[in-house]
Amino acid sequence: MSRSPKGGSTSEARARLLSTATRIFYAEGIHSVGIDRVIAEAQVTRATLYRHFSGKEELVLAYLDQADRGIREQVAAARASGRSAAGRVRAVARSITEGIRSPGFRGCAFLNAVAEYPDPAHPIHQAVLAHRQWFLDTVTDLLAQTGDAPAEAAGRHLVMLRDGAMAAGCLFDPELVSETFLQGVEGILRARTDS
């Protein structure tokens, strides 16, 4: 049994709350979903919600933390795959396209959240920035292993391509968007090995 942020065991009710919030926050947006709806759809009482989360902000942070952990697991699997350095970058890129191709895809949970919380000092905005910095650092490190040239610009380029693919993936044909994104990643890798 996993642990809750407050130190106790994760209950079935907490898991239902987080699962319900994740589903509707992602599908409909954070601000458009009231706490009463989360409670009703999770089939818990208000007291149960507040036993596990201090309020909506903490629930949103838990939602983003869950998304962050999922992405970190995908990247860890790609890194541990035993592939070449370029193969690990490709594996990360393919994991991104799997998300874009998935049913109900509605863009990047982090980009969606930061659009709703534009204040850089807000804890939700800060959580998004922390995730993005980790992702940038991670792909930059992976790209650094593909050639001798500094990888900072290549890392920023890959993150920008990813952001565009995540935005376009819910607006246009996800297959075409995924193919275009993967071609862009190949271009970054070619530039790293040709330099």
mmCIF file of all heavy atoms in Angstrom, residues 111-152:
data_model
loop_
_atom_site.group_PDB
_atom_site.id
_atom_site.type_symbol
_atom_site.label_atom_id
_atom_site.label_comp_id
_atom_site.label_asym_id
_atom_site.label_seq_id
_atom_site.Cartn_x
_atom_site.Cartn_y
_atom_site.Cartn_z
ATOM 1 N N LEU A 111 1.241 21.924 -19.373
ATOM 2 C CA LEU A 111 0.975 23.141 -20.142
ATOM 3 C C LEU A 111 -0.464 23.598 -19.917
ATOM 4 O O LEU A 111 -0.724 24.802 -19.804
ATOM 5 C CB LEU A 111 1.245 22.919 -21.628
ATOM 6 C CG LEU A 111 2.708 22.691 -22.005
ATOM 7 C CD1 LEU A 111 2.828 22.368 -23.495
ATOM 8 C CD2 LEU A 111 3.570 23.874 -21.630
ATOM 9 N N ASN A 112 -1.388 22.647 -19.836
ATOM 10 C CA ASN A 112 -2.778 23.000 -19.565
ATOM 11 C C ASN A 112 -2.907 23.665 -18.194
ATOM 12 O O ASN A 112 -3.601 24.672 -18.040
ATOM 13 C CB ASN A 112 -3.676 21.766 -19.647
ATOM 14 C CG ASN A 112 -3.764 21.188 -21.047
ATOM 15 O OD1 ASN A 112 -3.388 21.820 -22.029
ATOM 16 N ND2 ASN A 112 -4.241 19.968 -21.139
ATOM 17 N N ALA A 113 -2.234 23.094 -17.195
ATOM 18 C CA ALA A 113 -2.325 23.641 -15.832
ATOM 19 C C ALA A 113 -1.705 25.026 -15.739
ATOM 20 O O ALA A 113 -2.269 25.927 -15.112
ATOM 21 C CB ALA A 113 -1.658 22.691 -14.838
ATOM 22 N N VAL A 114 -0.550 25.225 -16.360
ATOM 23 C CA VAL A 114 0.115 26.527 -16.243
ATOM 24 C C VAL A 114 -0.686 27.612 -16.959
ATOM 25 O O VAL A 114 -0.655 28.773 -16.544
ATOM 26 C CB VAL A 114 1.580 26.458 -16.718
ATOM 27 C CG1 VAL A 114 1.710 26.582 -18.228
ATOM 28 C CG2 VAL A 114 2.435 27.488 -16.014
ATOM 29 N N ALA A 115 -1.439 27.232 -17.981
ATOM 30 C CA ALA A 115 -2.305 28.210 -18.646
ATOM 31 C C ALA A 115 -3.404 28.695 -17.697
ATOM 32 O O ALA A 115 -3.854 29.836 -17.790
ATOM 33 C CB ALA A 115 -2.922 27.598 -19.900
ATOM 34 N N GLU A 116 -3.802 27.843 -16.756
ATOM 35 C CA GLU A 116 -4.837 28.212 -15.789
ATOM 36 C C GLU A 116 -4.268 28.883 -14.545
ATOM 37 O O GLU A 116 -5.012 29.496 -13.780
ATOM 38 C CB GLU A 116 -5.636 26.972 -15.390
ATOM 39 C CG GLU A 116 -6.448 26.400 -16.545
ATOM 40 C CD GLU A 116 -7.470 25.383 -16.084
ATOM 41 O OE1 GLU A 116 -8.310 25.754 -15.244
ATOM 42 O OE2 GLU A 116 -7.413 24.238 -16.554
ATOM 43 N N TYR A 117 -2.980 28.743 -14.330
ATOM 44 C CA TYR A 117 -2.313 29.330 -13.155
ATOM 45 C C TYR A 117 -1.104 30.133 -13.629
ATOM 46 O O TYR A 117 0.040 29.705 -13.465
ATOM 47 C CB TYR A 117 -1.892 28.230 -12.170
ATOM 48 C CG TYR A 117 -3.072 27.554 -11.527
ATOM 49 C CD1 TYR A 117 -3.682 26.447 -12.119
ATOM 50 C CD2 TYR A 117 -3.600 28.040 -10.333
ATOM 51 C CE1 TYR A 117 -4.778 25.846 -11.530
ATOM 52 C CE2 TYR A 117 -4.698 27.440 -9.740
ATOM 53 C CZ TYR A 117 -5.280 26.337 -10.347
ATOM 54 O OH TYR A 117 -6.379 25.754 -9.762
ATOM 55 N N PRO A 118 -1.323 31.310 -14.221
ATOM 56 C CA PRO A 118 -0.228 32.074 -14.818
ATOM 57 C C PRO A 118 0.696 32.778 -13.820
ATOM 58 O O PRO A 118 1.793 33.192 -14.202
ATOM 59 C CB PRO A 118 -0.951 33.093 -15.703
ATOM 60 C CG PRO A 118 -2.294 33.263 -15.058
ATOM 61 C CD PRO A 118 -2.634 31.934 -14.466
ATOM 62 N N ASP A 119 0.302 32.898 -12.572
ATOM 63 C CA ASP A 119 1.137 33.583 -11.580
ATOM 64 C C ASP A 119 2.361 32.725 -11.265
ATOM 65 O O ASP A 119 2.231 31.639 -10.704
ATOM 66 C CB ASP A 119 0.332 33.827 -10.307
ATOM 67 C CG ASP A 119 1.147 34.485 -9.197
ATOM 68 O OD1 ASP A 119 2.351 34.768 -9.397
ATOM 69 O OD2 ASP A 119 0.575 34.709 -8.111
ATOM 70 N N PRO A 120 3.568 33.201 -11.613
ATOM 71 C CA PRO A 120 4.783 32.402 -11.392
ATOM 72 C C PRO A 120 5.024 32.023 -9.933
ATOM 73 O O PRO A 120 5.737 31.063 -9.652
ATOM 74 C CB PRO A 120 5.913 33.301 -11.905
ATOM 75 C CG PRO A 120 5.260 34.293 -12.790
ATOM 76 C CD PRO A 120 3.859 34.471 -12.276
ATOM 77 N N ALA A 121 4.426 32.742 -8.992
ATOM 78 C CA ALA A 121 4.625 32.444 -7.575
ATOM 79 C C ALA A 121 3.632 31.399 -7.055
ATOM 80 O O ALA A 121 3.815 30.879 -5.953
ATOM 81 C CB ALA A 121 4.506 33.717 -6.748
ATOM 82 N N HIS A 122 2.607 31.072 -7.826
ATOM 83 C CA HIS A 122 1.596 30.125 -7.366
ATOM 84 C C HIS A 122 2.203 28.721 -7.274
ATOM 85 O O HIS A 122 2.964 28.319 -8.148
ATOM 86 C CB HIS A 122 0.398 30.122 -8.317
ATOM 87 C CG HIS A 122 -0.798 29.451 -7.740
ATOM 88 N ND1 HIS A 122 -0.907 28.078 -7.670
ATOM 89 C CD2 HIS A 122 -1.917 29.963 -7.169
ATOM 90 C CE1 HIS A 122 -2.060 27.772 -7.092
ATOM 91 N NE2 HIS A 122 -2.690 28.902 -6.785
ATOM 92 N N PRO A 123 1.873 27.953 -6.237
ATOM 93 C CA PRO A 123 2.440 26.605 -6.081
ATOM 94 C C PRO A 123 2.185 25.679 -7.274
ATOM 95 O O PRO A 123 3.051 24.849 -7.602
ATOM 96 C CB PRO A 123 1.757 26.064 -4.820
ATOM 97 C CG PRO A 123 1.363 27.282 -4.051
ATOM 98 C CD PRO A 123 1.053 28.341 -5.077
ATOM 99 N N ILE A 124 1.054 25.816 -7.935
ATOM 100 C CA ILE A 124 0.780 24.970 -9.102
ATOM 101 C C ILE A 124 1.689 25.367 -10.255
ATOM 102 O O ILE A 124 2.270 24.514 -10.937
ATOM 103 C CB ILE A 124 -0.717 25.012 -9.463
ATOM 104 C CG1 ILE A 124 -1.507 24.318 -8.343
ATOM 105 C CG2 ILE A 124 -0.982 24.377 -10.829
ATOM 106 C CD1 ILE A 124 -2.997 24.487 -8.410
ATOM 107 N N HIS A 125 1.864 26.664 -10.468
ATOM 108 C CA HIS A 125 2.787 27.143 -11.499
ATOM 109 C C HIS A 125 4.202 26.649 -11.182
ATOM 110 O O HIS A 125 4.919 26.186 -12.074
ATOM 111 C CB HIS A 125 2.744 28.676 -11.549
ATOM 112 C CG HIS A 125 3.398 29.272 -12.741
ATOM 113 N ND1 HIS A 125 2.685 29.778 -13.801
ATOM 114 C CD2 HIS A 125 4.703 29.455 -13.055
ATOM 115 C CE1 HIS A 125 3.519 30.251 -14.710
ATOM 116 N NE2 HIS A 125 4.752 30.062 -14.274
ATOM 117 N N GLN A 126 4.595 26.726 -9.924
ATOM 118 C CA GLN A 126 5.924 26.268 -9.501
ATOM 119 C C GLN A 126 6.098 24.769 -9.743
ATOM 120 O O GLN A 126 7.177 24.328 -10.148
ATOM 121 C CB GLN A 126 6.149 26.598 -8.019
ATOM 122 C CG GLN A 126 6.331 28.072 -7.739
ATOM 123 C CD GLN A 126 7.606 28.601 -8.363
ATOM 124 O OE1 GLN A 126 8.679 28.033 -8.176
ATOM 125 N NE2 GLN A 126 7.490 29.679 -9.115
ATOM 126 N N ALA A 127 5.056 23.977 -9.508
ATOM 127 C CA ALA A 127 5.125 22.533 -9.754
ATOM 128 C C ALA A 127 5.339 22.256 -11.239
ATOM 129 O O ALA A 127 6.111 21.365 -11.617
ATOM 130 C CB ALA A 127 3.860 21.845 -9.254
ATOM 131 N N VAL A 128 4.669 23.028 -12.093
ATOM 132 C CA VAL A 128 4.843 22.879 -13.534
ATOM 133 C C VAL A 128 6.278 23.226 -13.927
ATOM 134 O O VAL A 128 6.929 22.485 -14.678
ATOM 135 C CB VAL A 128 3.828 23.747 -14.312
ATOM 136 C CG1 VAL A 128 4.151 23.776 -15.800
ATOM 137 C CG2 VAL A 128 2.404 23.255 -14.067
ATOM 138 N N LEU A 129 6.785 24.341 -13.409
ATOM 139 C CA LEU A 129 8.159 24.736 -13.729
ATOM 140 C C LEU A 129 9.169 23.688 -13.264
ATOM 141 O O LEU A 129 10.143 23.397 -13.977
ATOM 142 C CB LEU A 129 8.487 26.094 -13.111
ATOM 143 C CG LEU A 129 7.729 27.291 -13.683
ATOM 144 C CD1 LEU A 129 8.120 28.566 -12.936
ATOM 145 C CD2 LEU A 129 7.966 27.435 -15.178
ATOM 146 N N ALA A 130 8.954 23.113 -12.102
ATOM 147 C CA ALA A 130 9.867 22.088 -11.586
ATOM 148 C C ALA A 130 9.862 20.859 -12.500
ATOM 149 O O ALA A 130 10.921 20.303 -12.817
ATOM 150 C CB ALA A 130 9.487 21.702 -10.162
ATOM 151 N N HIS A 131 8.681 20.448 -12.924
ATOM 152 C CA HIS A 131 8.597 19.303 -13.840
ATOM 153 C C HIS A 131 9.307 19.607 -15.150
ATOM 154 O O HIS A 131 10.083 18.794 -15.654
ATOM 155 C CB HIS A 131 7.134 18.935 -14.115
ATOM 156 C CG HIS A 131 6.998 17.975 -15.252
ATOM 157 N ND1 HIS A 131 7.249 16.630 -15.112
ATOM 158 C CD2 HIS A 131 6.683 18.179 -16.562
ATOM 159 C CE1 HIS A 131 7.089 16.039 -16.293
ATOM 160 N NE2 HIS A 131 6.748 16.965 -17.180
ATOM 161 N N ARG A 132 9.042 20.774 -15.678
ATOM 162 C CA ARG A 132 9.656 21.139 -16.965
ATOM 163 C C ARG A 132 11.174 21.239 -16.861
ATOM 164 O O ARG A 132 11.887 20.848 -17.773
ATOM 165 C CB ARG A 132 9.046 22.431 -17.500
ATOM 166 C CG ARG A 132 7.600 22.224 -17.952
ATOM 167 C CD ARG A 132 6.985 23.471 -18.507
ATOM 168 N NE ARG A 132 7.668 23.952 -19.684
ATOM 169 C CZ ARG A 132 7.544 23.430 -20.912
ATOM 170 N NH1 ARG A 132 6.783 22.381 -21.111
ATOM 171 N NH2 ARG A 132 8.186 23.955 -21.930
ATOM 172 N N GLN A 133 11.671 21.763 -15.748
ATOM 173 C CA GLN A 133 13.126 21.849 -15.579
ATOM 174 C C GLN A 133 13.735 20.447 -15.514
ATOM 175 O O GLN A 133 14.769 20.184 -16.119
ATOM 176 C CB GLN A 133 13.493 22.647 -14.325
ATOM 177 C CG GLN A 133 14.979 22.936 -14.223
ATOM 178 C CD GLN A 133 15.489 23.786 -15.387
ATOM 179 O OE1 GLN A 133 14.962 24.857 -15.648
ATOM 180 N NE2 GLN A 133 16.505 23.310 -16.102
ATOM 181 N N TRP A 134 13.072 19.554 -14.783
ATOM 182 C CA TRP A 134 13.545 18.163 -14.731
ATOM 183 C C TRP A 134 13.569 17.568 -16.136
ATOM 184 O O TRP A 134 14.553 16.927 -16.535
ATOM 185 C CB TRP A 134 12.649 17.310 -13.816
ATOM 186 C CG TRP A 134 12.912 15.855 -14.046
ATOM 187 C CD1 TRP A 134 13.931 15.108 -13.529
ATOM 188 C CD2 TRP A 134 12.187 14.989 -14.925
ATOM 189 N NE1 TRP A 134 13.874 13.828 -14.027
ATOM 190 C CE2 TRP A 134 12.810 13.734 -14.890
ATOM 191 C CE3 TRP A 134 11.056 15.159 -15.738
ATOM 192 C CZ2 TRP A 134 12.355 12.641 -15.634
ATOM 193 C CZ3 TRP A 134 10.612 14.076 -16.476
ATOM 194 C CH2 TRP A 134 11.251 12.842 -16.419
ATOM 195 N N PHE A 135 12.483 17.756 -16.910
ATOM 196 C CA PHE A 135 12.426 17.179 -18.247
ATOM 197 C C PHE A 135 13.510 17.769 -19.142
ATOM 198 O O PHE A 135 14.208 17.030 -19.843
ATOM 199 C CB PHE A 135 11.032 17.372 -18.870
ATOM 200 C CG PHE A 135 10.871 16.632 -20.161
ATOM 201 C CD1 PHE A 135 10.721 15.257 -20.169
ATOM 202 C CD2 PHE A 135 10.893 17.307 -21.372
ATOM 203 C CE1 PHE A 135 10.599 14.556 -21.366
ATOM 204 C CE2 PHE A 135 10.763 16.626 -22.566
ATOM 205 C CZ PHE A 135 10.614 15.238 -22.565
ATOM 206 N N LEU A 136 13.693 19.080 -19.101
ATOM 207 C CA LEU A 136 14.744 19.720 -19.895
ATOM 208 C C LEU A 136 16.116 19.180 -19.503
ATOM 209 O O LEU A 136 16.919 18.814 -20.370
ATOM 210 C CB LEU A 136 14.704 21.241 -19.724
ATOM 211 C CG LEU A 136 15.852 22.016 -20.379
ATOM 212 C CD1 LEU A 136 15.886 21.810 -21.881
ATOM 213 C CD2 LEU A 136 15.746 23.502 -20.021
ATOM 214 N N ASP A 137 16.402 19.119 -18.212
ATOM 215 C CA ASP A 137 17.692 18.596 -17.753
ATOM 216 C C ASP A 137 17.889 17.152 -18.201
ATOM 217 O O ASP A 137 18.990 16.765 -18.616
ATOM 218 C CB ASP A 137 17.794 18.668 -16.224
ATOM 219 C CG ASP A 137 17.847 20.089 -15.695
ATOM 220 O OD1 ASP A 137 18.093 21.041 -16.473
ATOM 221 O OD2 ASP A 137 17.626 20.256 -14.475
ATOM 222 N N THR A 138 16.837 16.362 -18.128
ATOM 223 C CA THR A 138 16.924 14.940 -18.484
ATOM 224 C C THR A 138 17.198 14.754 -19.970
ATOM 225 O O THR A 138 18.096 13.988 -20.349
ATOM 226 C CB THR A 138 15.629 14.215 -18.074
ATOM 227 O OG1 THR A 138 15.487 14.339 -16.653
ATOM 228 C CG2 THR A 138 15.670 12.749 -18.452
ATOM 229 N N VAL A 139 16.436 15.434 -20.836
ATOM 230 C CA VAL A 139 16.671 15.247 -22.272
ATOM 231 C C VAL A 139 18.001 15.870 -22.690
ATOM 232 O O VAL A 139 18.665 15.348 -23.585
ATOM 233 C CB VAL A 139 15.497 15.741 -23.152
ATOM 234 C CG1 VAL A 139 14.242 14.936 -22.876
ATOM 235 C CG2 VAL A 139 15.251 17.210 -23.035
ATOM 236 N N THR A 140 18.411 16.942 -22.042
ATOM 237 C CA THR A 140 19.722 17.532 -22.340
ATOM 238 C C THR A 140 20.824 16.537 -21.990
ATOM 239 O O THR A 140 21.775 16.348 -22.770
ATOM 240 C CB THR A 140 19.912 18.863 -21.593
ATOM 241 O OG1 THR A 140 18.878 19.763 -21.998
ATOM 242 C CG2 THR A 140 21.265 19.488 -21.886
ATOM 243 N N ASP A 141 20.701 15.892 -20.846
ATOM 244 C CA ASP A 141 21.676 14.870 -20.448
ATOM 245 C C ASP A 141 21.698 13.707 -21.447
ATOM 246 O O ASP A 141 22.771 13.239 -21.844
ATOM 247 C CB ASP A 141 21.359 14.370 -19.039
ATOM 248 C CG ASP A 141 22.309 13.283 -18.591
ATOM 249 O OD1 ASP A 141 23.535 13.530 -18.573
ATOM 250 O OD2 ASP A 141 21.839 12.175 -18.251
ATOM 251 N N LEU A 142 20.521 13.254 -21.858
ATOM 252 C CA LEU A 142 20.465 12.169 -22.842
ATOM 253 C C LEU A 142 21.107 12.588 -24.163
ATOM 254 O O LEU A 142 21.859 11.819 -24.771
ATOM 255 C CB LEU A 142 19.019 11.737 -23.071
ATOM 256 C CG LEU A 142 18.365 10.927 -21.964
ATOM 257 C CD1 LEU A 142 16.861 10.798 -22.215
ATOM 258 C CD2 LEU A 142 18.997 9.551 -21.848
ATOM 259 N N LEU A 143 20.806 13.803 -24.602
ATOM 260 C CA LEU A 143 21.373 14.285 -25.861
ATOM 261 C C LEU A 143 22.884 14.496 -25.753
ATOM 262 O O LEU A 143 23.610 14.283 -26.724
ATOM 263 C CB LEU A 143 20.673 15.574 -26.294
ATOM 264 C CG LEU A 143 19.257 15.368 -26.836
ATOM 265 C CD1 LEU A 143 18.486 16.674 -26.863
ATOM 266 C CD2 LEU A 143 19.307 14.733 -28.231
ATOM 267 N N ALA A 144 23.371 14.878 -24.579
ATOM 268 C CA ALA A 144 24.816 15.067 -24.395
ATOM 269 C C ALA A 144 25.576 13.773 -24.641
ATOM 270 O O ALA A 144 26.747 13.800 -25.043
ATOM 271 C CB ALA A 144 25.102 15.597 -22.989
ATOM 272 N N GLN A 145 24.915 12.654 -24.447
ATOM 273 C CA GLN A 145 25.553 11.355 -24.651
ATOM 274 C C GLN A 145 25.601 10.948 -26.113
ATOM 275 O O GLN A 145 26.193 9.925 -26.450
ATOM 276 C CB GLN A 145 24.818 10.293 -23.825
ATOM 277 C CG GLN A 145 24.850 10.566 -22.332
ATOM 278 C CD GLN A 145 23.893 9.684 -21.562
ATOM 279 O OE1 GLN A 145 23.653 8.539 -21.921
ATOM 280 N NE2 GLN A 145 23.334 10.220 -20.481
ATOM 281 N N THR A 146 24.994 11.757 -27.003
ATOM 282 C CA THR A 146 24.942 11.410 -28.427
ATOM 283 C C THR A 146 26.016 12.108 -29.252
ATOM 284 O O THR A 146 26.086 11.897 -30.464
ATOM 285 C CB THR A 146 23.561 11.747 -29.034
ATOM 286 O OG1 THR A 146 23.375 13.164 -29.023
ATOM 287 C CG2 THR A 146 22.441 11.049 -28.301
ATOM 288 N N GLY A 147 26.804 12.962 -28.644
ATOM 289 C CA GLY A 147 27.842 13.670 -29.390
ATOM 290 C C GLY A 147 28.686 14.495 -28.445
ATOM 291 O O GLY A 147 28.418 14.567 -27.244
ATOM 292 N N ASP A 148 29.710 15.117 -29.014
ATOM 293 C CA ASP A 148 30.646 15.871 -28.183
ATOM 294 C C ASP A 148 30.276 17.343 -28.017
ATOM 295 O O ASP A 148 30.749 17.995 -27.093
ATOM 296 C CB ASP A 148 32.059 15.782 -28.785
ATOM 297 C CG ASP A 148 32.593 14.358 -28.739
ATOM 298 O OD1 ASP A 148 32.219 13.624 -27.802
ATOM 299 O OD2 ASP A 148 33.365 13.979 -29.636
ATOM 300 N N ALA A 149 29.454 17.879 -28.899
ATOM 301 C CA ALA A 149 29.087 19.295 -28.820
ATOM 302 C C ALA A 149 28.190 19.526 -27.602
ATOM 303 O O ALA A 149 27.476 18.620 -27.166
ATOM 304 C CB ALA A 149 28.361 19.724 -30.095
ATOM 305 N N PRO A 150 28.197 20.736 -27.046
ATOM 306 C CA PRO A 150 27.280 21.036 -25.938
ATOM 307 C C PRO A 150 25.837 20.734 -26.352
ATOM 308 O O PRO A 150 25.446 20.940 -27.499
ATOM 309 C CB PRO A 150 27.492 22.534 -25.697
ATOM 310 C CG PRO A 150 28.870 22.803 -26.220
ATOM 311 C CD PRO A 150 29.046 21.872 -27.397
ATOM 312 N N ALA A 151 25.047 20.243 -25.404
ATOM 313 C CA ALA A 151 23.705 19.747 -25.732
ATOM 314 C C ALA A 151 22.581 20.666 -25.262
ATOM 315 O O ALA A 151 21.412 20.344 -25.465
ATOM 316 C CB ALA A 151 23.521 18.366 -25.119
ATOM 317 N N GLU A 152 22.908 21.810 -24.654
ATOM 318 C CA GLU A 152 21.863 22.658 -24.087
ATOM 319 C C GLU A 152 20.858 23.131 -25.147
ATOM 320 O O GLU A 152 19.645 23.075 -24.941
ATOM 321 C CB GLU A 152 22.459 23.855 -23.345
ATOM 322 C CG GLU A 152 23.142 23.485 -22.038
ATOM 323 C CD GLU A 152 24.505 22.795 -22.211
ATOM 324 O OE1 GLU A 152 25.098 22.861 -23.323
ATOM 325 O OE2 GLU A 152 24.955 22.175 -21.231
#
